[in-house]
Amino acid sequence: MKYLVTGATGKLGSKIVDALLKSVPANELAVSVRHPEKAEALKAKGVDVRHGDFDKPETLDEAFKGAERLLIISTDGDNDTRIRQHANAVEAAERAGVSFIAYTSLADATKSQNIMAPPHVETEGAIERTGIPHAFLRNNWYLENELGSIQGVLAGAPWVTAARDGKVGWALQEDYAEAIANVLMADDFEQDIFELSGPLHTQAELVKALSEVLGREVALQEVSAEAYSDVMRGAGVPEEVIPIVVGIQDSIRNGSLEVESNDFELVLGRPLTPLKEALQKLIATL
């Protein structure tokens, strides 16, 4: 069996590779990366490191060659860029004759009003049209996405949000990585869509858990979307990113991440890391 993971030097991708290597011999694992020099440590372990650039489709034919079970990790960038890049990857997978495609999507993708949903809808559709057996790993929200806010709190700032009572299924990337690796390795799941959502919490509940972890009360500051823009601008967030971070707050407030599912624990085969323990792990890395 030959497994191939794209984006393997990214924050999530590197964790997925680590999870795979606990069960898969290194010589059965290949990675497709834009900058192979960043994957020297994987190469030293015996992993097959290949050059693959989603913006250069001609590189993907060689990168995907011989792969049987492929994981396409969604890229970063604006929606149009991601749609184009993902389409290149799916077309290359079809040309390579892979037998299975796993793709990291977004919570409730096809119904979501999330600002980042369009590339996932397009990519899921493109994969379905190939007719290749597949799994859509609909990731809810990484707790790591809140690191900036956590760092602000540690520096004495309040937790600022425009999400109101919107609920999120936060979980650590290491839990997502293990779940995704399990799906990539397995062929006995009876479903092809996995809603990987942790227990649902509001911003206030997250702040309460953070307060308990820190042993002090963290102030929660609820603001309008306009005020949130100003706060982010004042924190040094680039102007072109402001609409994205505000749009995420809007999406949470509107319930796009309020997805209840037991798929996560099903594929993990164990309970998720509890919220307070997960916060402790993140804080320990700062």
Side-chain angles (χ1 to χ4, degrees):
M1 182 66 69
K2 193 72 169 184
Y3 301 90
L4 189 139
V5 176
T6 72
T9 55
K11 292 178 181 178
L12 178 64
S14 60
K15 293 180 178 69
I16 293 171
V17 169
D18 287 344
L20 285 168
L21 287 173
K22 292 177 181 178
S23 301
V24 173
N27 63 5
E28 292 185 13
L29 179 59
V31 296
S32 169
V33 293
R34 182 174 295 184
H35 302 289
E37 66 274 12
K38 294 183 179 181
E40 285 298 324
L42 292 178
K43 188 175 182 180
K45 293 179 180 179
V47 174
D48 182 3
V49 175
R50 304 174 178 185
H51 174 235
D53 188 334
F54 283 16
D55 283 321
K56 298 177 181 178
E58 66 276 10
T59 68
L60 298 180
D61 289 331
E62 190 64 29
F64 290 3
K65 187 176 181 180
E68 295 170 79
R69 296 181 73 85
L70 168 68
L71 171 63
I72 298 175
I73 296 179
S74 56
T75 60
D76 294 326
D78 62 73
N79 284 353
D80 289 342
T81 297
R82 299 175 86 190
I83 289 170
R84 183 187 71 252
Q85 291 176 335
H86 295 174
N88 288 341
V90 173
E91 290 166 8
E94 190 170 18
R95 291 194 300 271
V98 303
S99 58
F100 179 82
I101 301 174
Y103 169 68
T104 59
S105 189
L106 178 72
D108 201 21
T110 50
K111 297 178 183 178
S112 178
Q113 298 303 307
N114 193 300
I115 190 173
M116 297 186 294
H120 298 295
V121 175
E122 291 290 335
T123 306
E124 286 191 7
I127 292 171
E128 286 179 333
R129 288 191 293 274
T130 67
I132 298 170
H134 56 267
F136 298 146
L137 301 150
R138 291 181 169 176
N139 297 348
N140 191 289
W141 210 242
Y142 308 136
L143 190 59
E144 284 85 349
N145 291 344
E146 312 300 344
L147 272 172
S149 295
I150 292 172
Q151 289 173 317
V153 165
L154 293 176
W159 186 282
V160 182
T161 177
R164 300 298 179 188
D165 293 327
K167 294 183 177 181
V168 180
W170 285 287
L172 286 173
Q173 283 184 344
E174 64 184 50
D175 282 348
Y176 278 105
E178 185 178 335
I180 291 166
N182 287 347
V183 171
L184 185 63
M185 292 185 291
D187 56 8
D188 56 353
F189 287 114
E190 296 180 354
Q191 62 198 80
D192 55 18
I193 295 177
F194 299 87
E195 291 288 349
L196 302 184
S197 176
L200 298 175
H201 296 286
T202 63
Q203 300 283 315
E205 290 168 342
L206 178 61
V207 169
K208 180 181 178 183
L210 181 59
S211 297
E212 293 174 358
V213 168
L214 295 178
R216 63 177 175 84
E217 185 174 354
V218 175
L220 174 65
Q221 185 177 341
E222 296 185 322
V223 299
S224 66
E226 294 76 14
Y228 191 82
S229 297
D230 293 337
V231 171
M232 293 299 101
R233 196 171 287 113
V237 175
E239 195 63 34
E240 64 272 17
V241 180
I242 298 291
I244 297 174
V245 295
V246 173
I248 290 169
Q249 292 287 303
D250 289 342
S251 297
I252 294 173
R253 185 176 64 251
N254 295 334
S256 71
L257 295 179
E258 193 171 336
V259 178
E260 291 190 71
S261 171
N262 64 357
D263 289 349
F264 213 155
E265 292 193 353
L266 170 70
V267 297
L268 269 181
R270 62 168 176 81
L272 286 168
T273 305
L275 183 58
K276 286 197 287 186
E277 181 182 336
L279 286 167
Q280 289 170 332
K281 284 189 173 186
L282 281 192
I283 292 169
T285 68
L286 299 176

